[in-house]
Amino acid sequence: MNGQRRLALPLQRSHPMSSQEAFLARVRRALHKEPLPPAARPPLLWSDQDTAAATANLQTLVATQRPALVAQLQQELGAVGGVVAHVHSAAEAVGYVTRLAQEKDATLVVRWQSDLLDTLEVDAALHQQGVAVHATTLPAEALPGETASAVAMATRRQELRDVLARADLGLSGVDYVIAETGTLVLTAQAGQMRGVSLLPPVHVAVARTSQVIATLANYLLLVQPAGADLQPALSSCVSFVTGPSRTGDIELKLTVGVHGPGELHLVLLDEPTPE
Amino acid sequence: MQPSTASDPTLRSHASHLGTEGFQEHARQALQDAPLQQALQLLVTNFVPRRVAAMAALGNAEVLRTEARDIKERTMARLDEYLELFAMQAQRVGVQVHWAQDAAEARQIITGIAQDIGARVIVKGKSMATEEIHLNPHLEQHGYEVIETDLGEYIIQLAGETPSHIIAPAIHKTRQQIATLLHEQLGTPYTEVIPEMTQVARRALREQFLRADMGLTGANFAIAETGSLVLVTNEGNGRLSSTMPRVHVALMGMEKVIPRLADLAVMLKVLTNSATGQKISSYVTMLTGPRRAHDLDGPEALHVVIMDNGRSAILRSANREALYCLRCGACLNVCPIYQNIGGHAYGWVYPGPIGAVLTPMFTGLDTAQHLPRASTLCGACREACPVKINIPHLLLNLRQQLVERHDVPWVERALFTIWACIMQHPRLYKSAVALAALAQKPFVHHGWLSKLPAPFSGWTQSRDFKAVAARSFRQRWQETLQHERPAAPGVASPEVTSHE
């Protein structure tokens, strides 16, 4: 607390805060609800499909439809100003990223730590061009599967925040890509910062075609283990990203790059996944 | 910049005064405000066809609207249970849940959080709920620096005005007005080029995102099943406000809850297609708790303030379905009244047809009794609504309440009493029509009544009235029957069944 804060007007807590009970009781009164015994109440989370069967169906369906879905994805993401590069080898994927970095005069790239990006060895290629690469890794002292100390995490967070504010290009993977709307699904995980796809002026995501699914409804089904409590399966932040940041707030004229990246590239790697 | 009365910021900033005279005055000014009329024209030519095309492209828009409405109906019927489930699930992942009975309590809770965490700078994502409780002036009074970060909201904050459209808050301002504003307020070189203006705002606001201690947003949806909040934006203001500051506070009306994660797919589709004609917005962010131990960014604390502020009264009333509203703005864009007078004339945070329903219910029918009447009941809003809210019906409910409270002039009441009596008695009706046909003679011009004496002068002041026909429908019907098709025995005579 500094001096300025103490000058603020005192808060008037004249009446006690309404509790959850009082709030919900008022809602209940407004509903004129018949009080039912818990056993007689219909389930709050009703089920209109056999989730397990639907999920199984989904896997086979998506596999057979993949070429059509990839075409749809290119069409949809292209329509909202995203750029899709359909490549057939790791070398092509890396080539696309390094060319783009050169085109943008990038000096600093910030990237997710992910298996795909590690496999591609994109760092080495960028270094060769004199581009610095900073991966959003956990503090060095943390062992795999172990949580770093709070102090180490705090230091690392601050460090990465500064990197993000300066980075010219953010490079990430994706969890899924949704064909219906051309949407990238990015989840916050250890090593996968939210800011990589948000702060730099250019965002490049790399995905395998095996990560393409049909619809948002499919995604919601995939994260929902049948019959299980699904909350633990959800990351603290799931971002659905569809095209560059855009606004129409001045005379309804579409303009990109207002807060998030003004450019969004999806490098779609079409090669057999190593079994 | 063109001079115009209604563009005067001081007037606009006080737009929240209600009352019939205020409405009429604002409406009159709006009609003569050339830049505003130009902007409204843009809305009609942009948003309306985009939404229509998007809904048509969906192929199953009707099914989706019905599903979305069904989800809302189910939610409202057991709202207390869904809120309880949402709170429980949110708390499990470390969200701090607060309950606010009214605007004052919501303001107090949010100011209390700011004080507890020692915040000084607060960045805001776009939120109508915070507009509803007039949060900014309150926070500023308590010494906090509050910065709107949605481009449209930022522009009107710089201008000291209030939003005039739910999703395009600065629609009433021209690019020249905005260029002058940015130049004067930020000291940047004058430019009318929209991408350049956008970059000026980006740089200014990026700095604020990095220095802010607290991010304040609304919520488009709150998922009971998972305790998740969903923010829908195009610019990324919601993402940045909920990622960069160390504490994130979301204020939501209690009707924002949806039951299941799976429901999000339907709700999102109808929302974005209706709002902007987009299949999905650029950014949809689903937040389940604050950052976890291994997350490298995101807020250390997440607070959700669930607000009633008059909603339980709406829930109890015959107008419950007003709570289904997703705040997409589609009803504004298609409304012949909104298209002419814009948002500020409505006098409160929610304009347009849904505003005409919500404002009297939130602020009291006394102060806003003109709003239910400011509608042609054409039904365009109902057709556009993604959750099929029957807005004309809700407006009629409010009008009925006004009549029941005798809040109508005695002349109107007397006339309608007489009218009701005539309509219930066929003989009386027949004579009345005959009498009217005679009495109207001095006023008829080419089959129209365009100037009537009191007490009918109010009607003809702004519209014409079709003259009563020389021969009534009944007379002509009778003649037809006699000349062409004599009624078969046993067929009821039209004298009995007709409801002319």
Side-chain angles (χ1 to χ4, degrees), chain A residues 33 44 197 231 236 249 259-260, chain B residues 81-82 149 152 202 239 295:
Chain A
K33 266 175 40 174
L44 277 175
S197 60
Q231 197 186 35
S236 61
D249 275 348
H259 288 311
Chain B
E81 293 169 84
Y82 285 117
T149 65
R202 176 185 170 107
R239 275 186 90 188
D295 284 345

Side-chain angles (χ1 to χ4, degrees), chain B residues 381-402:
Chain B
C381 48
R382 181 182 52 209
E383 295 306 310
C385 179
V387 287
K388 298 186 168 183
I389 300 174
N390 192 342
I391 296 175
H393 181 71
L394 303 188
L395 291 171
L396 284 176
N397 280 346
L398 292 172
R399 288 187 192 182
Q400 188 184 343
Q401 274 180 43
L402 283 170

Side-chain angles (χ1 to χ4, degrees), chain B residues 311-423:
Chain B
R311 286 163 174 81
S312 53
I314 301 179
L315 191 66
R316 189 167 49 228
S317 76
N319 283 359
R320 174 185 293 185
E321 62 180 286
L323 292 179
Y324 300 173
C325 176
L326 306 178
R327 311 278 188 264
C328 72
C331 63
L332 279 57
N333 307 335
V334 296
C335 175
I337 309 296
Y338 182 91
Q339 284 173 2
N340 278 287
I341 63 174
H344 285 144
Y346 287 82
W348 201 56
V349 284
Y350 302 113
I354 193 64
V357 175
L358 291 176
T359 305
M361 301 193 74
F362 274 119
T363 66
L365 202 48
D366 290 324
T367 45
Q369 52 168 288
H370 54 287
L371 289 179
R373 296 197 179 108
S375 167
T376 62
L377 302 178
C378 71
C381 48
R382 181 182 52 209
E383 295 306 310
C385 179
V387 287
K388 298 186 168 183
I389 300 174
N390 192 342
I391 296 175
H393 181 71
L394 303 188
L395 291 171
L396 284 176
N397 280 346
L398 292 172
R399 288 187 192 182
Q400 188 184 343
Q401 274 180 43
L402 283 170
V403 173
E404 276 162 6
R405 288 167 29 162
H406 299 287
D407 247 345
V408 281
W410 71 269
V411 181
E412 197 178 319
R413 244 183 305 144
L415 283 176
F416 275 101
T417 311
I418 295 167
W419 179 251
C421 179
I422 292 173
M423 290 301 282

Side-chain angles (χ1 to χ4, degrees), chain B residues 123-241:
Chain B
V123 282
K124 278 186 69 194
K126 181 164 166 29
S127 151
M128 292 306 290
T130 59
E131 297 281 347
E132 180 186 317
I133 65 167
H134 304 294
L135 186 58
N136 291 8
H138 182 82
L139 286 170
E140 280 160 6
Q141 243 173 37
H142 283 82
Y144 300 100
E145 191 182 335
V146 185
I147 302 124
E148 293 285 352
T149 65
D150 171 85
L151 181 58
E153 295 278 352
Y154 181 57
I155 289 165
I156 57 173
Q157 187 185 33
L158 288 179
E161 301 180 15
T162 57
S164 69
H165 188 282
I166 292 177
I167 62 162
I171 181 69
H172 59 279
K173 300 196 86 66
T174 62
R175 82 167 77 182
Q176 288 79 13
Q177 289 171 327
I178 297 167
T180 308
L181 192 66
L182 290 175
H183 170 63
E184 283 172 0
Q185 297 280 322
L186 302 178
T188 47
Y190 182 90
T191 170
E192 281 181 19
V193 182
I194 294 176
E196 287 175 12
M197 292 156 79
T198 306
Q199 286 313 304
V200 166
R202 176 185 170 107
R203 280 190 291 274
L205 289 169
R206 179 58 67 87
E207 239 171 79
Q208 305 293 357
F209 279 122
L210 290 171
R211 67 188 274 264
D213 317 286
M214 183 168 136
L216 195 53
T217 68
N220 293 88
F221 302 103
I223 305 169
E225 185 175 21
T226 58
S228 311
L229 293 174
V230 180
L231 306 178
V232 181
T233 76
N234 273 319
E235 299 178 358
N237 59 74
R239 275 186 90 188
L240 279 160
S241 302

